Amino acid sequence: MNIILLGPPGAGKGTQARHLVETRDMVQLSTGDMLREAKDSGTEMGLRVAEVMARGELVTDEIVIGLIREKLEAGGGSGFIFDGFPRTLAQADALGELLATTGQSLDAVIEMQVDDEALVARITARSTCGACGEVYNDITKPQPSDGKCSNCGASDFKRRADDNEESLRTRLMEYYKKTSPLIGYYHAKGQLRTVDGLGDIDAVQGAIAQVLDN
Ligand code: AP5
Ligand code: MG
């Protein structure tokens, strides 16, 4: 089963994708994580896109489609969760073609709806384990009091360079201008499912499970 988690910055795509990896043996493909890894490992491409990402703008279709192509050719698990990809109509068309050429299909596009006010609160309170990627939130999911990640035990928490109010404004604008047209695109294809992303993490997990099991 291959699915897309579609939603604005802070909607909870990464949080829910990690849960599906643990419970359903699916493979998370987050273009944001791939780009941050490329930056951290100092590749030429990673360094080239770092400033674009920090400003909150989208990187080029060519780069992210190339990253996804590599992963799809490698295959994996009992399906892919596309997290933060596609983000433009060109990326959506490219994904359709890539899946077709590797003999796969897209089973559902799950739109996670969250209002802008909640997004700002979530993003400005987020931190992530630098070792395993576990996502925390100062208010809803605080880092353990012993200073060690509950998932892997490391003590290396990070905050993202684009998790500030100015970059977030740009990220939201990019989402509404370039990514939200995908809602209509997948609705027209009969693949769109919508979940309320405003509930707590468990409630959203339940809503996504219902979509996947029906
Ligand atoms: P990316 O890394 O994809 O960031 P994003 O889309 O802005 O989304 P986030 O990762 O910020 O949010 P999320 O939905 O994963 O939420 P999370 O689960 O962490 O992209 C970053 C940049 O890379 C882009 O701006 C662009 O430059 C570039 N890029 C990436 N892909 C690209 C592409 N395809 N094309 C072009 N450019 C691309 O949750 C957020 C917080 O909320 C956490 O603290 C979490 O604990 C908390 N939380 C989660 N769920 C809940 C809940 N239900 N209730 C309360 N709190 C919750
Ligand atoms: Mg994410």
Side-chain angles (χ1 to χ4, degrees):
M1 180 177 258
N2 298 311
I3 64 166
I4 294 173
L5 294 182
L6 181 66
K13 305 180 294 292
T15 300
Q16 296 299 332
R18 288 178 67 83
H19 178 71
L20 293 173
V21 169
E22 281 162 22
T23 55
R24 295 184 187 242
D25 190 33
M26 296 176 80
V27 174
Q28 176 187 12
L29 295 184
S30 159
T31 40
D33 287 349
M34 293 174 208
L35 293 164
R36 279 184 289 276
E37 273 163 31
K39 181 194 137 203
D40 292 345
S41 54
T43 67
E44 194 234 305
M45 181 274 281
L47 298 175
R48 195 150 37 93
V49 300
E51 275 185 33
V52 176
M53 291 175 73
R55 283 199 300 271
E57 295 164 9
L58 294 189
V59 311
T60 65
D61 289 336
E62 194 193 352
I63 288 177
V64 290
I65 292 167
L67 289 170
I68 289 289
R69 181 182 294 118
E70 272 175 38
K71 300 285 180 183
L72 285 187
E73 283 167 357
S78 50
F80 292 109
I81 308 154
F82 297 97
D83 160 6
F85 180 91
R87 261 175 149 98
T88 62
L89 291 167
Q91 291 177 25
D93 283 338
L95 177 62
E97 284 163 25
L98 283 172
L99 287 171
T101 52
T102 50
Q104 303 187 69
S105 60
L106 184 61
D107 300 285
V109 178
I110 302 179
E111 184 207 353
M112 304 175 65
Q113 290 184 332
V114 180
D115 60 48
D116 288 1
E117 224 170 285
L119 297 175
V120 177
R122 285 186 187 182
I123 291 272
T124 49
R126 170 169 54 189
S127 61
T128 313
C129 171
C132 74
E134 186 72 8
V135 187
Y136 292 93
N137 187 283
D138 298 340
I139 297 144
T140 56
K141 190 182 165 188
Q143 294 167 11
S145 52
D146 64 0
K148 292 187 176 151
C149 173
S150 56
N151 186 49
C152 74
S155 330
D156 171 28
F157 297 101
K158 292 192 166 145
R159 295 203 188 251
R160 275 169 44 177
D162 57 347
D163 278 354
N164 58 75
E165 271 193 45
E166 196 186 338
S167 302
L168 180 58
R169 254 197 308 275
T170 307
R171 284 157 70 193
L172 277 173
M173 194 52 82
E174 291 281 75
Y175 177 78
Y176 290 119
K177 276 200 297 202
K178 298 174 185 167
T179 308
S180 66
L182 299 185
I183 296 169
Y185 176 96
Y186 286 117
H187 173 72
K189 286 174 174 277
Q191 291 171 312
L192 189 74
R193 304 287 178 274
T194 300
V195 299
D196 178 5
L198 262 183
D200 64 26
I201 292 174
D202 290 346
V204 180
Q205 272 169 14
I208 292 176
Q210 229 174 1
V211 170
L212 299 184
D213 295 336
N214 283 332

